[in-house]
Amino acid sequence: MALRTYIFFFVMFTLYILIICTNSTILYLIWNHKNLHEPMYIFIAALLLNSVLYSTTVYPKLLIDFSSEKQVTTYSACLFQFFIFYTLVLSEFLLLAAMAYDRYVAICKPLEYQTIMRKTTVGIFLVVAWLVPACQVAVQAIASAEAKLCDSNIKGIFCNNAVYTLQCERSKLITIFGVVIVLDLAILPMLFIVFTYTKIFIVSHRSCKEIRKKAAETCLPHLLVLLSLSVFFVYDVSIARANPDFPKTTRIIMTLQIMLYQPLLNPFIYGLKMKEISKHLNKLLSQTNIIPCIKT
């Protein structure tokens, strides 16, 4: 391998290990501490698990490609990567919507919180967040498997919406169902999240300082994650639907948004900005003498 290839391989391998370690650390804290066994932290754990899974869907194959003279994959393997990747990414919108509802009940209806946000309710939210995207993305993957191919070179570094560029003609089923997926799993959850947090901020603004502080501490991290995810999704949909001639640098930067920024953003935001998680993280790092205590 050329020196540049070695450097790329080392950088990507290091980033992958960093993603696994940071997300797994917060997952361990949530799993190990009973005071974090609450709906909000369970949803955070689900988001972090998603980051680990879709990074594992992309990075190992990318590392193999860097170490190989020819980057080759089968179309079926490409579609499988497409299916896993979009199932997990789209489930994040539903998980963020569930977190928004959880915060709404906690802040706007605190006396009813224990009754509404039971373990059964949380379990249903998690199943829906993963199962619904899987079923809808499966239709796209199966329809793409039946499509006739006119190209064998994918325009991207992994199998995302770029698989559509390989097809001679996109079927009506793929196009129509693609619009349904965007509406069901992205736009509607985003509208629900914006509406819910608007209600929360209105209620908290009319309440005491302690309620406003609680709303800011628990809601702002979720909004930052939503903003980051939405920026990527807008780019990804525009590539798939309009297929514009984006500059190569723009394509690489926006692809890294989901490959790097998003999986690393989640643990840092929730590890440093969520007070209870930050406390346990501070203790863990102090016990292992990795870094001095973080002031919370």
Side-chain angles (χ1 to χ4, degrees), residues 24 39 46 51 79 86 100 111 148 151 161-162 166 173 195 199 218 231 233 237 246 250 274:
S24 297
S51 295
L79 288 178
Y86 281 110
L111 298 179
K148 183 180 179 181
D151 195 356
N161 266 328
L166 304 178
L173 175 62
F195 173 77
K199 292 278 289 182
T218 60
V231 168
F233 194 76
V237 170
F246 279 100
T250 304
M274 302 299 288

Side-chain angles (χ1 to χ4, degrees), residues 278-290:
S278 182
K279 285 181 181 179
H280 291 297
L281 180 62
N282 185 38
K283 290 179 182 178
L284 178 65
L285 296 178
S286 299
Q287 290 170 0
T288 55
N289 295 317
I290 296 178

